Amino acid sequence: NRLRDHGVEIGVLQPGQFNALTDVPGVQVGHTTIIQGDDIRTGVTSILPHSGNIFQEKVPAAIYVGNGFGKLAGYTQVKELGNLETPIVLTNTLSVPTAMNAVIGYTLHQPENENVRSVNAVIGETNDGYLSDIRGRHVTEEHVLKAIKNAKSGPVTEGNVGAGTGTICFGFKGGIGTSSRVLPKKSGGYTVGVLVQTNFGGVLQVAGVEVGKKLGHYSNSFKYSPDGSCMMVVLTDAPLDSRNLERLAKRAMLGLSRTGGIASNGSGDYVIAVSTAKACRIPYQSDDPIQLHPTLRNGAMTPLFLATIEATEEAILNSLFAGETMIGRDGHKIEALPKGKVLEMLKEAGKTTP
Amino acid sequence: NRLRDHGVEIGVLQPGQFNALTDVPGVQVGHTTIIQGDDIRTGVTSILPHSGNIFQEKVPAAIYVGNGFGKLAGYTQVKELGNLETPIVLTNTLSVPTAMNAVIGYTLHQPENENVRSVNAVIGETNDGYLSDIRGRHVTEEHVLKAIKNAKSGPVTEGNVGAGTGTICFGFKGGIGTSSRVLPKKSGGYTVGVLVQTNFGGVLQVAGVEVGKKLGHYSNSFKYSPDGSCMMVVLTDAPLDSRNLERLAKRAMLGLSRTGGIASNGSGDYVIAVSTAKACRIPYQSDDPIQLHPTLRNGAMTPLFLATIEATEEAILNSLFAGETMIGRDGHKIEALPKGKVLEMLKEAGKTTP
Amino acid sequence: NRLRDHGVEIGVLQPGQFNALTDVPGVQVGHTTIIQGDDIRTGVTSILPHSGNIFQEKVPAAIYVGNGFGKLAGYTQVKELGNLETPIVLTNTLSVPTAMNAVIGYTLHQPENENVRSVNAVIGETNDGYLSDIRGRHVTEEHVLKAIKNAKSGPVTEGNVGAGTGTICFGFKGGIGTSSRVLPKKSGGYTVGVLVQTNFGGVLQVAGVEVGKKLGHYSNSFKYSPDGSCMMVVLTDAPLDSRNLERLAKRAMLGLSRTGGIASNGSGDYVIAVSTAKACRIPYQSDDPIQLHPTLRNGAMTPLFLATIEATEEAILNSLFAGETMIGRDGHKIEALPKGKVLEMLKEAGKTTP
Amino acid sequence: NRLRDHGVEIGVLQPGQFNALTDVPGVQVGHTTIIQGDDIRTGVTSILPHSGNIFQEKVPAAIYVGNGFGKLAGYTQVKELGNLETPIVLTNTLSVPTAMNAVIGYTLHQPENENVRSVNAVIGETNDGYLSDIRGRHVTEEHVLKAIKNAKSGPVTEGNVGAGTGTICFGFKGGIGTSSRVLPKKSGGYTVGVLVQTNFGGVLQVAGVEVGKKLGHYSNSFKYSPDGSCMMVVLTDAPLDSRNLERLAKRAMLGLSRTGGIASNGSGDYVIAVSTAKACRIPYQSDDPIQLHPTLRNGAMTPLFLATIEATEEAILNSLFAGETMIGRDGHKIEALPKGKVLEMLKEAGKTTP
């Protein structure tokens, strides 16, 4: 059961069919969950903005760095050129190079890419080293390729899965979460989908209810280890150029804030934003030096900003509601969010519909 | 009565004596409120990080641009050099040049500044053009100088005052608001003070309670005019360099988000952050090319981030609780926040202490 | 006589008809030169990207900060929204607010702008305080409006004129300079025009010849006062979005470098880049939330980069060749570049065509 | 024979003992050159800012992106935290992940790092795919570790070596180049060292002489493939914080410009700047939340800017003078710079001392 199934509504806009990143047409998500022995709790999640050859048909993109204590790969080229040319892959901090190698290999070996000699792999990460033997670097290129191959449309599995297998959020078990919003027709009718890999801290709020404070479940010293982080992927079918995608990406941090996130010093908080609009695709090669893309005017961005904030907030909460208690490395144990108690608090605060 | 007087606590940290920007030692705030005839509702607010000659004793500073649809003056030099050399002045959008001229004149004519030929005035603004005849540009240099001269320590007047005289927030009367947090000794015992000039929109939340949604008081279309904006000034006595001040400034946007702010397209949202620590002052001239400033390590920043978020959220709410119904230009009327109703909602949600 | 008239060619591309910013179709430049008494040597230069109402028909734009020790106004909004909505005005450091006031007034009072309440004036500056009584702030709004009204197409006056009246470059008399390049048809046939206001230092090179070193005319200590600066305005009729305009703007700094400029600590070096392509205009208001602009692909940018570098280098050199010896404030005297000697050096190095 | 051995002096400042990056005390450089069969021409170069455990004793650092069409790893964390925690490694574009894996492994296995679970490897790259089978990804982790182990002080081998084995510059054989400058005592006496991996284009100038134009050796269309790039590493013993290191890094692009570089669309031009000053080291862990580092005042930066520009220009030229004709993948052949002809031109232009 997801948060919304309990009658809790985040924000004022409506979600799409699956309340997931995959509500954006053509988008696919895949997971490889790696649970081995007592000490390995990690994985890979892939996001495909479209099902074609992404290198040959690039998509407008931007990455916003909320707090840059992280190892995300691919930032500077996306910033310079305004586009994305590979699937997005999420994994653990120390497996970023392996994921890059896999994505590079995947791209080099796609049909039509025989002469490609430069690939900008975009890989996000959070640090699951408390529950998993991260120093062992157990993710293989095969794991990554499997996550890409597995990618599919429709409902997205949340919680202890893929790149969220071993992550921790507000001291509870975090993981993968997702949500979406569909704008009203008069605002363009576009869909905004968000997927998050949650591994950060702060003072948890659920739908504005101060859960962390009430449970006394937060660090008094706020001297977090540098293990936190949150990866946020925002896709939309609205036709946007990279400048407005960067503005959109910035708003995901506002959604994170509403869950009580504080972007602590040790947190690597990144937002990757992509427009999947077909009319905005950027062919790798073209005889015409001029491209003619429709793009939304600045003045039409506000509803998309709101949608991003709401979907990010709900995606993070969904990751907490889906996370299950896990025991990992050296017997470390992280409890799931006490959903019963939280729902009780929500009910008392009038946040659940009867 | 401020929000906290009703038993509503924002966050987990404690405010300082005045719950105001002026809790940071040495800081002074001044207002000039300009209400003339039926159509002029504007003003000026000044913030002095210390009571000395700021040009001769510059302070480490950073400015973060949350959303750059605004006319704040002085950004690029602060970014390049990492310091502030004038009082900070807030006013209305079209009076920025006048405020600059006043601040330049003020600086040129201070003792010791006889040979100064370059001054970087930092002026923030929001657009009060709905309630005030902004096109008339009624702020004079004298108004600005008066706000600087008026500046004093102690409690800060909030609401329809100074640069907040004619501003609108979430469709209600906004204005000036302020708040502070004092870190526990073990986190350094530093004070963080925030002052805001609120003139923006979104879907109002008060202490997590969805006031805007419950009152049906928000724009369905989110096609805001480009008049929104929020200026946030964050001062602290923690010894920080400009890099960590910029990180601190970024967190104020997370505080804004918790009030329901969405950084709409038309909003100019800027955060000015300054360290007032005496040991960090930067003399204009020095025989020694080397300076030796204490600065906090990255790892010690997190409690300051939390303090900034909490104080910004509360400062914005304070501006709404202090704002009073105003009639201005062409008979335009903006109602104050219906505090009775809101407090009732807060009570129902268990947010007020009995 | 300009540099090129002596048979010195900068780079490999060809200039346009006037070898000036005004070779870009529709562009107009205006000057107000203010020489009064013994101590006032300053002025204003205006650049109009098109002759219509720029607020109603905005142009794609970007500003690159080479070194931000300067007071340029309008940066953050151009960065956020990607467009320019006023004429560009250049003047002296302490007259930026006056120029802003003039440009705001100009815009508010244009037909169709009766309801405009927010104007982002873009004003550049350098510090002419050695030759002029800059503290006296002698530029008036009338001076600025006159420069806008004076603006015209065709040849552009260089040297001690407009905003370049009192500026100093490499220790010689600088001022306004301009140049242009026209791309070959196969590269699109676009024109790139550059106008500079030169007031900076380093070790002068003319067409690669080390003039500063040979003349022994440079500071051994490089402890410049904070008075330097260079404003560079790059206009092109190539259809570019703001991201690629920012990339273009960055290249102007490479042109500055080739003259021996070093972007010293005290230099405020800014580049304003604008696309004047008619198909890229951005109407202030539109019923259609979607715009459809042609833009050049990333892969087509390189020739424009080269054109910008070459035209910037030549524009700076042109400012030096046009600058004339000037005596100003307190009898301060700045000599013109010793053109005879320099041409002799160029000849010896084989740089002049016989 | 290096350029300076022919009596050609670049700039006005003097180089250090080796005219190399290693003139900065404590700095070490190592190469692994990989030439195998007909098709493999690649390698690895490592730079160690000090000989201790860099993760435990981090160094202040900044990275400036001249043109971000590249895959440099580690950017965002350096930007956020202002420091470097690993050796810098340069290699080819598609071997970045392998180099990251090697550097991560190297760091994890250093004594004292037993509990480290997060490592920000900084890896630069250029694309040697014309001369080398880059798609084959022939660099191994062992190659990288060997380059780190090989690192030593003293003279640095230039040309077809390490990461420069297969690179191309201005259409001639490029590679590794290095140079240094020592400031006069009155400017602090600091050393600035630069090392470059040259793989970019433009219109070659040598000491201001238009070699590319005279030889007719440049692309008329400037439609370069996306294979170009230049990595620039700037180290100094001047005590600098990350803000002023970023300013220093920016100046390396000005040095690149003076060789005729244009930062073409396809070029990934990055500058990594580091202060090696012992008093500025940042311990990984510390009981004291406050650090006390000496740093240079803004006003003392200009001589370091000049030194960086000069050393970068000369390092690039040194790479060309050291590069030797190479035949590689599919029989592709790249000629060395015709040094005889170039020296003849330099002599004619009066650039060589008799």
Side-chain angles (χ1 to χ4, degrees):
Chain A
N1 275 10
R2 302 170 82 188
L3 181 63
R4 194 167 281 263
D5 298 331
H6 298 286
V8 181
E9 290 186 0
I10 301 297
V12 299
L13 297 171
Q14 294 305 309
Q17 182 184 1
F18 304 114
N19 191 13
L21 186 64
T22 44
D23 286 322
V24 182
V27 171
Q28 297 177 312
V29 174
H31 295 304
T32 302
T33 303
I34 309 173
I35 298 181
Q36 295 169 359
D38 290 340
D39 290 343
I40 305 179
R41 306 282 182 271
T42 191
V44 182
T45 295
S46 76
I47 295 123
L48 279 61
H50 66 72
S51 53
N53 183 325
I54 301 169
F55 191 90
Q56 295 290 333
E57 290 291 324
K58 302 179 203 294
V59 285
I63 299 175
Y64 175 68
V65 183
N67 191 53
F69 197 154
K71 282 74 183 174
L72 177 134
Y75 174 78
T76 59
Q77 184 167 318
V78 170
K79 176 85 179 164
E80 185 77 36
L81 302 181
N83 62 52
L84 175 81
E85 61 189 26
T86 68
I88 298 164
V89 167
L90 309 178
T91 186
N92 75 61
T93 308
L94 296 184
S95 293
V96 166
T98 299
M100 289 171 74
N101 262 331
V103 167
I104 291 170
Y106 167 81
T107 301
L108 293 181
H109 296 113
Q110 277 184 299
E112 299 186 71
N113 295 358
E114 292 79 8
N115 294 313
V116 169
R117 291 192 183 79
S118 175
V119 178
N120 188 49
V122 171
I123 315 290
E125 53 77 28
T126 72
N127 198 309
D128 53 20
Y130 184 76
L131 284 171
S132 192
D133 171 30
I134 193 170
R135 287 173 56 101
R137 290 184 279 170
H138 300 285
V139 173
T140 64
E141 294 191 37
E142 289 67 37
H143 288 134
V144 179
L145 294 172
K146 199 177 130 197
I148 295 174
K149 205 172 284 174
N150 278 346
K152 56 177 202 284
S153 54
V156 172
T157 313
E158 297 177 310
N160 305 4
V161 67
T165 300
T167 64
I168 303 168
C169 193
F170 295 105
F172 300 109
K173 186 66 192 70
I176 297 294
T178 189
S179 181
S180 71
R181 290 295 181 277
V182 181
L183 295 186
K185 279 264 163 67
K186 66 180 167 182
S187 299
Y190 302 112
T191 298
V192 174
V194 174
L195 182 143
V196 296
Q197 174 193 19
T198 64
N199 194 43
F200 64 96
V203 187
L204 176 62
Q205 294 180 213
V206 177
V209 175
E210 293 160 300
V211 169
K213 195 172 170 183
K214 285 172 195 266
L215 294 174
H217 192 87
Y218 63 92
S219 162
N220 278 317
S221 66
F222 289 98
K223 284 192 183 167
Y224 289 113
S225 68
D227 295 348
S229 284
C230 190
M231 292 296 116
M232 291 158 269
V233 178
V234 182
L235 304 188
T236 181
D237 55 358
L240 300 178
D241 61 9
S242 58
R243 182 176 52 76
N244 269 325
L245 283 165
E246 187 173 336
R247 300 175 79 203
L248 198 72
K250 268 176 124 165
R251 271 62 187 182
M253 286 301 291
L254 303 190
L256 177 143
S257 172
R258 294 191 184 176
T259 67
I262 61 176
S264 70
N265 172 66
S267 202
D269 301 321
Y270 297 80
V271 189
I272 304 164
V274 169
S275 168
T276 66
K278 276 188 190 153
C280 293
R281 300 273 161 84
I282 305 150
Y284 171 45
Q285 306 207 302
S286 169
D287 290 337
D288 192 345
I290 289 183
Q291 59 199 5
L292 194 64
H293 292 155
T295 51
L296 277 191
R297 286 168 54 85
N298 291 327
M301 291 303 296
T302 300
L304 291 166
F305 291 169
L306 179 65
T308 300
I309 295 170
E310 292 190 0
T312 303
E313 180 180 0
E314 187 162 339
I316 291 170
L317 297 175
N318 281 341
S319 80
L320 282 161
F321 269 70
E324 294 173 13
T325 299
M326 176 170 274
I327 302 175
R329 180 173 70 89
D330 296 340
H332 289 168
K333 181 179 182 179
I334 297 293
E335 302 278 354
L337 183 75
K339 270 159 280 191
K341 275 192 204 167
V342 171
L343 288 168
E344 194 60 35
M345 290 176 194
L346 289 169
K347 197 177 161 189
E348 277 171 23
K351 293 283 185 173
T352 50
T353 41
Chain B
N1 274 12
R2 302 170 81 188
L3 180 62
R4 193 166 281 263
D5 299 330
H6 298 286
V8 182
E9 291 186 0
I10 300 296
V12 298
L13 298 171
Q14 294 306 309
Q17 182 183 1
F18 304 114
N19 192 14
L21 185 65
T22 45
D23 287 322
V24 182
V27 171
Q28 298 177 310
V29 173
H31 295 304
T32 301
T33 303
I34 309 171
I35 298 182
Q36 296 168 358
D38 290 340
D39 290 342
I40 305 179
R41 305 284 183 270
T42 191
V44 182
T45 294
S46 75
I47 295 123
L48 279 60
H50 66 73
S51 53
N53 182 326
I54 301 171
F55 191 89
Q56 295 291 335
E57 291 292 323
K58 302 180 203 293
V59 285
I63 300 175
Y64 175 68
V65 183
N67 190 55
F69 197 155
K71 282 75 182 171
L72 177 134
Y75 174 78
T76 60
Q77 183 166 319
V78 171
K79 176 87 178 163
E80 186 77 34
L81 302 182
N83 62 52
L84 175 81
E85 63 189 25
T86 68
I88 298 164
V89 167
L90 310 177
T91 186
N92 76 61
T93 308
L94 295 185
S95 294
V96 167
T98 298
M100 289 171 74
N101 262 331
V103 168
I104 290 170
Y106 166 82
T107 300
L108 293 181
H109 297 112
Q110 277 183 298
E112 298 186 73
N113 295 357
E114 293 78 7
N115 295 312
V116 169
R117 291 192 182 78
S118 175
V119 179
N120 188 49
V122 171
I123 315 290
E125 53 78 26
T126 72
N127 198 309
D128 52 20
Y130 185 78
L131 283 172
S132 192
D133 171 30
I134 194 170
R135 289 173 57 101
R137 292 185 276 171
H138 301 286
V139 173
T140 64
E141 294 190 38
E142 289 67 36
H143 288 132
V144 178
L145 294 172
K146 197 177 132 200
I148 294 175
K149 205 172 285 177
N150 279 346
K152 56 176 200 286
S153 54
V156 173
T157 314
E158 298 177 310
N160 304 4
V161 66
T165 301
T167 65
I168 304 167
C169 192
F170 295 106
F172 300 109
K173 186 66 192 68
I176 297 295
T178 189
S179 181
S180 71
R181 290 295 182 274
V182 181
L183 295 188
K185 279 265 164 68
K186 65 178 169 183
S187 298
Y190 303 113
T191 299
V192 175
V194 175
L195 182 144
V196 297
Q197 175 193 20
T198 64
N199 195 43
F200 63 96
V203 186
L204 177 60
Q205 294 179 212
V206 177
V209 176
E210 294 161 299
V211 169
K213 196 173 170 183
K214 285 172 195 265
L215 294 175
H217 192 86
Y218 63 93
S219 161
N220 278 316
S221 66
F222 290 97
K223 285 192 183 166
Y224 289 113
S225 68
D227 294 350
S229 285
C230 190
M231 292 296 115
M232 291 158 270
V233 178
V234 183
L235 303 190
T236 181
D237 55 358
L240 299 178
D241 62 8
S242 59
R243 182 177 52 76
N244 269 326
L245 283 165
E246 186 173 336
R247 299 175 80 203
L248 197 73
K250 269 176 124 166
R251 271 61 186 183
M253 287 302 291
L254 303 189
L256 177 143
S257 172
R258 294 192 185 175
T259 66
I262 60 175
S264 70
N265 172 67
S267 202
D269 301 322
Y270 296 80
V271 190
I272 304 165
V274 170
S275 168
T276 65
K278 275 185 191 155
C280 293
R281 301 273 162 83
I282 304 150
Y284 171 44
Q285 305 206 305
S286 168
D287 290 336
D288 192 344
I290 289 184
Q291 58 199 5
L292 193 65
H293 293 154
T295 52
L296 277 191
R297 286 168 53 84
N298 291 326
M301 291 302 296
T302 300
L304 292 166
F305 291 169
L306 180 65
T308 301
I309 295 170
E310 292 190 1
T312 305
E313 179 180 0
E314 187 162 339
I316 292 170
L317 297 176
N318 280 342
S319 80
L320 283 160
F321 269 70
E324 294 172 14
T325 300
M326 177 171 273
I327 302 175
R329 178 174 71 88
D330 295 342
H332 290 168
K333 181 178 183 180
I334 297 293
E335 302 278 355
L337 182 74
K339 269 160 282 192
K341 274 192 205 167
V342 170
L343 288 168
E344 195 60 37
M345 289 178 195
L346 289 168
K347 196 176 163 190
E348 277 172 24
K351 294 282 186 174
T352 50
T353 42
Chain C
N1 273 13
R2 302 170 81 188
L3 180 63
R4 194 166 281 264
D5 298 331
H6 298 285
V8 182
E9 290 186 2
I10 302 295
V12 298
L13 298 171
Q14 294 306 308
Q17 182 183 2
F18 305 115
N19 191 15
L21 185 66
T22 45
D23 286 322
V24 182
V27 171
Q28 297 178 311
V29 174
H31 296 305
T32 302
T33 302
I34 309 172
I35 298 182
Q36 296 169 358
D38 290 340
D39 290 342
I40 304 179
R41 305 283 182 272
T42 191
V44 182
T45 295
S46 76
I47 295 124
L48 279 61
H50 65 73
S51 54
N53 182 326
I54 301 169
F55 191 89
Q56 295 290 334
E57 291 291 324
K58 303 180 202 293
V59 285
I63 300 174
Y64 175 68
V65 183
N67 191 55
F69 198 155
K71 283 73 182 173
L72 176 134
Y75 174 77
T76 59
Q77 184 166 319
V78 170
K79 177 86 178 164
E80 186 78 35
L81 302 182
N83 62 53
L84 175 81
E85 61 188 27
T86 68
I88 298 164
V89 167
L90 309 178
T91 186
N92 75 61
T93 308
L94 296 184
S95 294
V96 166
T98 299
M100 288 172 75
N101 262 332
V103 167
I104 291 171
Y106 167 81
T107 301
L108 293 181
H109 297 112
Q110 277 185 300
E112 297 187 73
N113 295 357
E114 293 79 6
N115 295 311
V116 169
R117 291 192 183 78
S118 174
V119 178
N120 188 50
V122 172
I123 315 291
E125 53 77 28
T126 72
N127 198 310
D128 52 19
Y130 185 78
L131 284 172
S132 192
D133 171 29
I134 193 169
R135 288 172 57 101
R137 291 185 279 171
H138 300 286
V139 173
T140 64
E141 295 191 37
E142 290 66 37
H143 288 134
V144 179
L145 294 172
K146 198 177 132 199
I148 295 175
K149 206 172 282 177
N150 279 347
K152 57 176 200 285
S153 53
V156 173
T157 315
E158 296 177 311
N160 304 5
V161 66
T165 301
T167 66
I168 304 166
C169 192
F170 296 105
F172 299 110
K173 186 65 191 70
I176 297 294
T178 189
S179 181
S180 70
R181 291 295 182 275
V182 180
L183 295 187
K185 278 267 164 64
K186 65 178 168 183
S187 299
Y190 302 113
T191 298
V192 175
V194 175
L195 181 143
V196 296
Q197 175 193 20
T198 64
N199 195 43
F200 64 97
V203 186
L204 177 61
Q205 295 180 212
V206 177
V209 176
E210 294 161 297
V211 170
K213 197 172 169 181
K214 285 171 195 267
L215 294 174
H217 192 86
Y218 63 92
S219 162
N220 278 316
S221 66
F222 290 99
K223 286 192 185 168
Y224 288 114
S225 67
D227 295 350
S229 285
C230 190
M231 292 295 116
M232 292 159 268
V233 178
V234 182
L235 304 188
T236 181
D237 55 357
L240 298 178
D241 62 10
S242 59
R243 182 177 52 76
N244 269 326
L245 283 165
E246 187 173 336
R247 301 175 79 203
L248 197 74
K250 269 175 124 165
R251 271 63 187 180
M253 287 301 292
L254 303 190
L256 177 144
S257 173
R258 294 192 185 175
T259 66
I262 61 175
S264 70
N265 172 67
S267 201
D269 301 322
Y270 297 80
V271 190
I272 304 164
V274 170
S275 168
T276 65
K278 277 187 189 151
C280 293
R281 301 273 161 84
I282 303 151
Y284 171 43
Q285 304 205 304
S286 168
D287 290 336
D288 192 344
I290 289 183
Q291 58 198 7
L292 193 65
H293 293 153
T295 52
L296 276 191
R297 286 169 53 85
N298 291 327
M301 291 302 297
T302 301
L304 292 167
F305 291 169
L306 180 65
T308 301
I309 296 170
E310 292 189 1
T312 304
E313 180 181 358
E314 187 162 340
I316 292 169
L317 297 175
N318 281 342
S319 79
L320 283 161
F321 269 71
E324 294 172 12
T325 300
M326 177 171 273
I327 301 175
R329 179 173 70 89
D330 295 341
H332 289 167
K333 181 179 183 179
I334 297 293
E335 302 278 354
L337 183 75
K339 270 159 281 192
K341 276 193 203 165
V342 171
L343 288 168
E344 195 59 36
M345 290 178 194
L346 288 169
K347 196 177 163 189
E348 277 172 23
K351 295 281 185 174
T352 51
T353 42
Chain D
N1 274 11
R2 302 170 80 189
L3 180 61
R4 193 166 282 262
D5 298 330
H6 298 285
V8 182
E9 291 186 1
I10 301 296
V12 298
L13 298 171
Q14 293 307 309
Q17 182 183 1
F18 305 114
N19 191 14
L21 185 65
T22 44
D23 287 322
V24 182
V27 171
Q28 298 178 309
V29 174
H31 295 305
T32 301
T33 303
I34 308 172
I35 299 182
Q36 296 168 357
D38 291 341
D39 290 343
I40 304 180
R41 305 284 182 270
T42 191
V44 182
T45 294
S46 76
I47 295 121
L48 278 61
H50 66 73
S51 54
N53 182 326
I54 302 170
F55 192 89
Q56 295 291 334
E57 291 292 323
K58 303 180 202 293
V59 286
I63 300 175
Y64 175 68
V65 183
N67 191 54
F69 198 154
K71 281 75 182 172
L72 176 133
Y75 173 77
T76 59
Q77 183 166 319
V78 170
K79 176 86 179 165
E80 185 78 36
L81 302 182
N83 63 52
L84 174 81
E85 62 188 27
T86 68
I88 298 164
V89 167
L90 310 177
T91 186
N92 76 60
T93 308
L94 295 184
S95 294
V96 167
T98 298
M100 289 171 74
N101 262 330
V103 168
I104 290 171
Y106 167 82
T107 301
L108 293 181
H109 296 112
Q110 278 184 299
E112 299 186 70
N113 295 357
E114 293 79 8
N115 294 312
V116 169
R117 292 192 181 79
S118 174
V119 178
N120 188 49
V122 171
I123 315 291
E125 53 77 28
T126 72
N127 199 308
D128 53 19
Y130 184 77
L131 283 171
S132 192
D133 171 29
I134 194 170
R135 288 173 55 101
R137 292 185 278 171
H138 301 286
V139 174
T140 64
E141 294 191 38
E142 289 67 37
H143 288 132
V144 179
L145 294 172
K146 198 176 132 199
I148 295 174
K149 206 173 285 177
N150 279 347
K152 57 177 201 286
S153 53
V156 173
T157 315
E158 297 177 310
N160 305 4
V161 66
T165 301
T167 65
I168 305 166
C169 192
F170 294 106
F172 300 110
K173 186 67 192 70
I176 298 294
T178 188
S179 181
S180 70
R181 290 295 181 277
V182 181
L183 295 187
K185 278 264 165 67
K186 66 178 168 183
S187 298
Y190 303 112
T191 300
V192 175
V194 175
L195 182 143
V196 297
Q197 175 194 20
T198 64
N199 195 43
F200 63 96
V203 186
L204 177 61
Q205 295 180 210
V206 177
V209 176
E210 295 161 298
V211 170
K213 196 172 170 183
K214 285 172 194 266
L215 293 174
H217 192 85
Y218 63 93
S219 162
N220 278 316
S221 66
F222 289 97
K223 285 192 185 168
Y224 287 113
S225 68
D227 294 350
S229 285
C230 190
M231 292 296 115
M232 291 158 270
V233 178
V234 182
L235 303 189
T236 182
D237 55 357
L240 300 177
D241 62 9
S242 58
R243 181 176 52 75
N244 269 325
L245 282 165
E246 185 172 337
R247 300 175 80 203
L248 197 73
K250 268 175 124 166
R251 271 61 187 181
M253 287 301 292
L254 304 189
L256 177 143
S257 172
R258 293 190 186 178
T259 66
I262 61 174
S264 70
N265 171 66
S267 202
D269 301 323
Y270 297 81
V271 189
I272 303 165
V274 170
S275 168
T276 66
K278 275 185 191 153
C280 292
R281 300 274 161 83
I282 304 150
Y284 171 44
Q285 305 205 305
S286 168
D287 289 337
D288 192 344
I290 289 183
Q291 59 197 5
L292 193 64
H293 293 154
T295 52
L296 277 190
R297 286 168 55 84
N298 291 326
M301 291 303 297
T302 300
L304 292 167
F305 291 170
L306 180 65
T308 301
I309 295 170
E310 292 190 0
T312 304
E313 179 180 0
E314 186 162 340
I316 291 170
L317 298 175
N318 280 343
S319 80
L320 283 160
F321 270 70
E324 294 172 13
T325 300
M326 177 170 273
I327 302 175
R329 179 173 71 88
D330 296 342
H332 289 168
K333 182 179 183 179
I334 297 294
E335 302 279 355
L337 183 75
K339 269 159 281 193
K341 274 193 205 167
V342 170
L343 288 168
E344 195 59 36
M345 290 178 195
L346 289 168
K347 196 176 161 189
E348 278 172 23
K351 295 281 184 173
T352 51
T353 42

